């Protein structure tokens, strides 16, 4: 990875987090929980940029602008909301399983 790519990635992340900090407090709390959950589950696309997380912020910004409570946007089961977002995504566990199957 080039230094310029790292700088651009850092700028992109800072801009993303500025959007998160502009959300109402309840949205920020749920966003951080979603972020933690996704890091644990490990969808591969999470390491390829902020597209997935930016989509969540887009959804949250719309909900906040519409005066919705955050759990009206995600539903009461936030983990199920996350699972639905990444249901078609490969995880690192999937990649590892494929690797093990190739080794057989």
């Amino acid at each position: 990875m080039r230094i310029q790519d790292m700088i651009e990635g850092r700028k992109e992340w800072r801009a993303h987090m500025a959007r998160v900090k502009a959300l109402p407090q309840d949205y920020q709390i749920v966003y951080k929980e979603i972020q933690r959950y996704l890091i644990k589950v490990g969808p591969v696309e999470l390491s390829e940029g902020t597209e997935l997380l930016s989509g969540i912020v887009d959804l949250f910004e719309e909900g906040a602008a519409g005066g919705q409570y955050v759990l009206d946007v995600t539903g009461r089961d936030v983990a199920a909301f996350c699972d639905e977002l990444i249901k078609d995504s490969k995880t690192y566990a999937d990649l590892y399983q494929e690797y093990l199957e190739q080794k057989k």
Side-chain angles (χ1 to χ4, degrees):
M1 178 177 271
R2 296 183 0 222
I3 291 175
Q4 187 64 30
D5 294 336
M6 292 183 341
I7 291 170
E8 289 302 315
R10 191 173 276 180
K11 285 180 184 177
E12 183 181 338
W13 182 251
R14 285 186 183 141
H16 172 77
M17 289 309 297
R19 289 178 62 201
V20 171
K21 289 179 182 177
L23 291 169
Q25 187 67 31
D26 58 336
Y27 279 86
Q28 289 181 42
I29 291 168
V30 172
Y31 172 84
K32 288 177 184 175
E33 290 303 317
I34 289 172
Q35 188 180 27
R36 281 189 200 110
Y37 183 84
L38 292 176
I39 288 171
K40 286 180 185 175
V41 173
V44 174
E45 66 189 63
L46 196 60
S47 66
E48 297 173 354
T50 61
E51 286 182 39
L52 176 63
L53 295 174
S54 290
I56 295 168
V57 174
D58 291 342
L59 183 64
F60 281 11
E61 287 172 339
E62 289 175 25
Q68 290 181 291
Y69 181 63
V70 67
L71 294 181
D72 291 337
V73 174
T74 62
R76 289 231 171 268
D77 189 345
V78 178
F81 171 80
C82 293
D83 290 339
E84 186 64 28
L85 285 176
I86 62 169
K87 70 180 177 187
D88 296 325
S89 300
K90 281 198 176 220
T91 65
Y92 287 105
D94 295 333
L95 294 178
Y96 184 66
Q97 188 63 39
E98 289 173 8
Y99 169 76
L100 291 177
E101 289 173 5
Q102 289 176 356
K103 298 256 315 166
K104 289 182 182 180

